[in-house]
Amino acid sequence: MIGPNQTSGGTWCRVRTREIVRVGTRSPQRDARDRGNTFSGLHTDRIDRHAGRVHDLRGQRLVTPIVSMSGQDARAAVKALKPLYSGDDWYCRPVDEQFWFKYVAVGDDHLSFRRLQLHGYLSGTASTGEDIVVQWLERGRGRVKVGGTDAQVLPGPVPTLWPEARRFFIEYENWDQRLVHIGKDFLLAVIAEDGKGADGLLTFDTSVKPGANAISLWHQALRHAVNAYRSAGSDSASWHAARRDVARALLQLYPLRDDSPAPSVKAAVNRVAAALFYLRAHAHEPITVVDVAGAAGLSVRGLQEAFQREVKQSPLEYLRGVRLELVRGELQAAEPGDAVVAAVARQWGFSHLGRFAATYFARYGEYPRDTLRLSRL
C-alpha cells in the first residue's frame, strides 16, 4: 500500500504521505500514563485505497497529516528529519541493539502540532526557519546550545522556546518530544490585531521561567485547538480562532521584550560588511535572511534595518543583484554554443524566467539573450 523510499547507502525510511493521523482521544490506561500531556495521541492508520475507506476501529475522526514518517536506520533518520530543521553536521547512531524513529505533524502553515520519537542518539545544528518552535519532552533527555548558553532539556510539562533567527546546537537521546510550530508572520499578525506593534521583531523574554498559570493556559489553548482541528477541520472558524488563542498563550508564556539595545553604528557597519561578504561567498547556495542574520550576528530585524541604512536595500535585493552580476559575467564570457540563458539563470537561482528577464533588462538596459548574442560577435 505505502511503498518505502530508499535513502542513500541502501538504508530505508518509510515516508507516509497518504496516511491519516488520529488526534486526541486516549484509552484510560494511556491517559493515566500521559497525564498532563496536551496531544500525546498522534497515531497513524492506513487508508484502504482499494476499498476507498478509512479504517478507524475506535470510531475516532482522522485527519490528514502534514508529514508522517518512520524508520529503523540512523542514516534514514538524518535524511528524513534534517530538512525539517535546516540541519547541518547531523550525527545519529543507535544506543543499543534497536534503533527507530517516528515523526508526525498535523495542522497548517500557521500552527502545527508535531511529535518526534527517536530511540537512539542525535546531534547537530538546526534552525527554526520562519517558525517559532515551542517544545517539551515526555521522555528522554537533551540539550540546546546557542552562543555561550547551554541548556539541559529534561522531561516535564514546561514548554521551552527553541532559539529564533539563529542556528543552534541540539543533542538528544532516547526521547519523545512534542513540538508546536507557530508561523512568525502569523504571530506578528495576531500581535498587530491586539494593538501591540512588534515592528517585525520577535525577541522573547526567556529570562524568567513561566508561571503555573501561564503553563496551564498554554496547554488548555493547545487542547482546545486540537479539538477544533479534529472536530471542525482546518477551514473552520473555530480552528482559526483557536490558532489565535495559542499565539496569545505563547505570549503569556514568554512575553516580548521591548528593551533590546541597538548596536552602535560602527558595530552595525562591521556586521553589514560581514553580511555582504557572506552573501557574495554563498551566492551560489540557497540563502535565507535567517542565514545572513546569523552570519552577521544580528537579529533579522537588526539586519534589515542596518541594510536599509547602509546599503539602501534589503539583503535579498542585494543578493539578487549579486546573482544578476554573476549571470551577466557568464553570458559575456560565453563561447558560441556554450551557454543557454535559461540554464545560466536557473544555475543562479532564477526559476521564473520571465521575471528574471524583466529584472535583468531594468538593471542593464538589455535582455539576457542580447548579452549572450553580443558575446558571440
Side-chain angles (χ1 to χ4, degrees), residues 192-348:
E193 286 178 6
D194 293 345
K196 304 173 183 177
D199 296 328
L201 177 65
L202 293 172
T203 304
F204 297 94
D205 185 358
T206 58
S207 60
V208 180
K209 184 177 178 181
N213 290 339
I215 295 172
S216 176
L217 177 64
W218 166 256
H219 288 289
Q220 181 180 348
L222 289 184
R223 284 192 294 270
H224 176 67
V226 167
N227 289 334
Y229 188 85
R230 181 185 62 187
S231 61
S234 60
D235 294 327
S236 66
S238 59
W239 164 245
H240 293 174
R243 291 185 314 195
R244 284 165 167 75
D245 289 341
V246 171
R248 294 182 179 106
L250 170 62
L251 297 174
Q252 294 294 317
L253 277 175
Y254 296 104
L256 295 180
R257 293 178 53 184
D258 56 7
D259 58 348
S260 300
S264 69
V265 173
K266 183 177 179 180
V269 171
N270 290 338
R271 290 176 179 180
V272 168
L276 294 176
F277 178 83
Y278 179 87
L279 286 166
R280 286 192 169 275
H282 297 269
H284 61 289
E285 303 173 3
I287 299 175
T288 67
V289 177
V290 172
D291 296 328
V292 184
L298 291 168
S299 68
V300 171
R301 182 195 183 191
L303 176 74
Q304 292 169 336
E305 290 180 347
F307 256 69
Q308 290 296 336
R309 184 173 57 249
E310 304 297 332
V311 190
K312 310 303 181 187
Q313 59 184 170
S314 72
L316 294 185
E317 286 172 339
Y318 179 85
L319 176 62
R320 189 181 304 115
V322 170
R323 288 173 172 169
L324 282 172
E325 290 177 15
L326 294 167
V327 169
R328 184 173 176 80
E330 285 201 24
L331 295 178
Q332 289 175 331
E335 295 293 333
D338 283 351
V340 177
V341 170
V344 175
R346 290 194 179 98
Q347 175 187 336
W348 290 105

Side-chain angles (χ1 to χ4, degrees), residues 116-131:
L116 170 58
Q117 299 168 276
L118 192 148
H119 186 79
Y121 170 90
L122 186 146
S123 66
T125 62
S127 170
T128 61
E130 294 302 310
D131 286 348

Side-chain angles (χ1 to χ4, degrees), residues 74-150:
R75 286 175 294 178
V78 169
K79 186 169 184 178
L81 299 172
K82 185 177 175 181
L84 298 174
Y85 297 101
S86 302
D88 192 21
D89 295 328
W90 276 28
Y91 171 66
C92 188
R93 60 172 171 79
V95 294
D96 54 32
E97 67 278 3
Q98 291 186 338
F99 177 93
W100 57 269
F101 74 96
K102 296 179 181 178
Y103 185 94
V104 65
V106 298
D108 59 23
D109 290 341
H110 298 311
L111 175 67
S112 59
F113 313 108
R114 308 181 183 215
R115 180 179 186 180
L116 170 58
Q117 299 168 276
L118 192 148
H119 186 79
Y121 170 90
L122 186 146
S123 66
T125 62
S127 170
T128 61
E130 294 302 310
D131 286 348
I132 305 299
V133 177
V134 186
Q135 69 88 43
W136 63 98
L137 292 184
E138 293 295 322
R139 174 176 57 83
R141 61 188 178 91
R143 68 187 181 104
V144 176
K145 182 177 181 181
V146 57
T149 303
D150 195 342

